[in-house]
Amino acid sequence: MPLVAAVVLLGIFPATARADLTSDGDHETTGGSQGPIIDSAVGVARITYDPAEVGAGRGPTAAQTTWSPPACYYAPTHTPEEYQAYWDELSRDFYSSGNPQEDKDALRDSLEDSYGEDGEFPNYNIDRQGEGMFWRVVRNENHPDREAQYACETRTFWVDFGDPPPVDVPEVVDVEMLAELAYERIRVPDTAIEMNPGGAQTVNLATWVWLEQGEFEPVSVTASLDDYGLSATTTATPVGLSIEPGTGDAVTHPGSGECAIDAAAYREGAAGQEPPCGVTYLRSTPEGGAYELTASVRWEIAWEGSDGSGGTLPDGVFETTYDVTVDEVQTIVR
């Protein structure tokens, strides 16, 4: 592999080993050897996504889930012509700077060893333009663990179009990783519920709860390496609505608090009936206080690959908390 190394900021550095929503409308949603290493810009993966615009909403990293997106991986980033232009610009800026001459010489030697006439990729594989691409490390700057972003060592390799990604390279983009990257792009609607009665609730009067109809449908994103014939479609499907009343002095409907995703909305004349999804509060809230009712939608995640493979990824659970006030109606009997 070429000695030209790491990818972050231009420079040469000594190498070291390294990896409330209320019921009336307001809401709150919750390398390792000694010597100089050339450090440059992070590679940008040539992965396409369909739909390109996934819309508003929240992604899996905002959910209650054990899953996290890839922190770093290897993917196609440059054609030969792009790679040559990339290094020409980087080295031109580097040579014209005030860097020590020994560091400039080290860069020239490294480029010659890798992309010179007798290097691993002679003249940046310009004569193979249109036949493949250079693959490099891509660091996911949206990943919360910065150390994990640097767990993939810096390396560059070439893959011909039509060839499968090399199986001997850990964290290389394949169909399953494309599914994970597609999952990261999925956006689902906020868990906005409707309630009847609206506004303040009443002790011992059932509150109907349901989701906005038409908002909660399966959402899919496809990630592709077009020139390599690889793709994966990841689909998030809403499968359940959970209600937590925010107090032990309440009864959920059904008793488990687990409702069907398409639980019926309140209809005229249904007052006094048990709702298919809802809650009955048994005690009023203290003056100035509120119960925190939490509504959560669980989304199951499944994927299908262009090679016939498929599988599942951990569910995502998206929740919204509502401040609910409950009044006690006093009745005078004569």
Side-chain angles (χ1 to χ4, degrees), residues 5 7 40-48 72-87 115 121 129 132-140 154-159 161 171-173 181 224-228:
V7 189
S40 58
V42 172
V44 178
R46 292 299 180 84
I47 300 172
T48 59
C72 61
Y73 50 92
Y74 301 97
T77 60
H78 297 81
T79 67
E81 291 177 351
E82 291 168 341
Y83 207 39
Q84 181 180 36
Y86 164 79
W87 278 110
Y115 310 111
F121 310 111
Q129 179 73 22
M133 291 186 71
F134 286 100
W135 289 49
R136 301 181 66 187
V137 66
V138 178
R139 309 199 191 280
N140 186 351
T154 298
R155 60 188 303 176
T156 301
F157 52 94
W158 172 270
V159 182
F161 293 147
E171 303 303 326
V172 71
V173 168
L181 294 171
S224 305
L225 291 179
D226 295 330
D227 292 318
Y228 293 91

Side-chain angles (χ1 to χ4, degrees), residues 31-45:
S33 59
Q34 294 303 312
I37 285 182
I38 309 304
D39 219 8
S40 58
V42 172
V44 178

Side-chain angles (χ1 to χ4, degrees), residues 48-231:
T48 59
Y49 296 88
D50 183 27
E53 298 294 336
V54 293
R58 291 187 288 172
T61 54
Q64 297 175 3
T65 178
T66 59
W67 182 84
S68 63
C72 61
Y73 50 92
Y74 301 97
T77 60
H78 297 81
T79 67
E81 291 177 351
E82 291 168 341
Y83 207 39
Q84 181 180 36
Y86 164 79
W87 278 110
D88 284 351
E89 180 179 3
L90 187 151
S91 55
R92 182 171 57 250
D93 292 343
F94 188 77
Y95 296 149
S96 63
S97 70
N99 290 296
Q101 185 60 44
E102 60 180 345
D103 290 346
K104 296 178 182 179
D105 293 341
L107 175 57
R108 289 192 178 92
D109 291 345
S110 181
L111 291 175
E112 183 64 28
D113 289 343
S114 299
Y115 310 111
E117 182 177 346
D118 298 322
E120 183 174 3
F121 310 111
N123 194 28
Y124 302 92
N125 282 358
I126 289 294
D127 62 342
R128 303 187 66 184
Q129 179 73 22
E131 298 179 11
M133 291 186 71
F134 286 100
W135 289 49
R136 301 181 66 187
V137 66
V138 178
R139 309 199 191 280
N140 186 351
E141 295 182 344
N142 294 322
H143 194 279
D145 187 343
R146 182 164 177 80
E147 183 176 348
Q149 295 177 24
Y150 288 84
C152 302
E153 68 178 17
T154 298
R155 60 188 303 176
T156 301
F157 52 94
W158 172 270
V159 182
D160 285 333
F161 293 147
D163 282 357
V167 296
D168 60 335
V169 180
E171 303 303 326
V172 71
V173 168
D174 56 10
V175 171
E176 185 169 0
M177 185 175 289
L178 285 173
E180 294 181 345
L181 294 171
Y183 184 13
E184 186 179 14
R185 293 296 183 98
I186 286 177
R187 296 294 180 268
V188 300
D190 288 338
T191 305
I193 62 172
E194 296 190 37
M195 295 187 289
N196 188 284
Q201 304 302 302
T202 301
V203 169
N204 294 325
L205 178 65
T207 302
W208 289 55
V209 175
W210 67 95
L211 294 168
E212 295 180 10
Q213 301 302 309
E215 289 289 321
F216 292 84
E217 302 290 342
V219 179
S220 296
V221 172
T222 299
S224 305
L225 291 179
D226 295 330
D227 292 318
Y228 293 91
L230 299 179
S231 66

Side-chain angles (χ1 to χ4, degrees), residues 225-249:
L225 291 179
D226 295 330
D227 292 318
Y228 293 91
L230 299 179
S231 66
T233 298
T234 301
T235 301
T237 303
V239 294
L241 169 64
S242 298
I243 300 298
E244 293 283 348
T247 175
D249 293 318

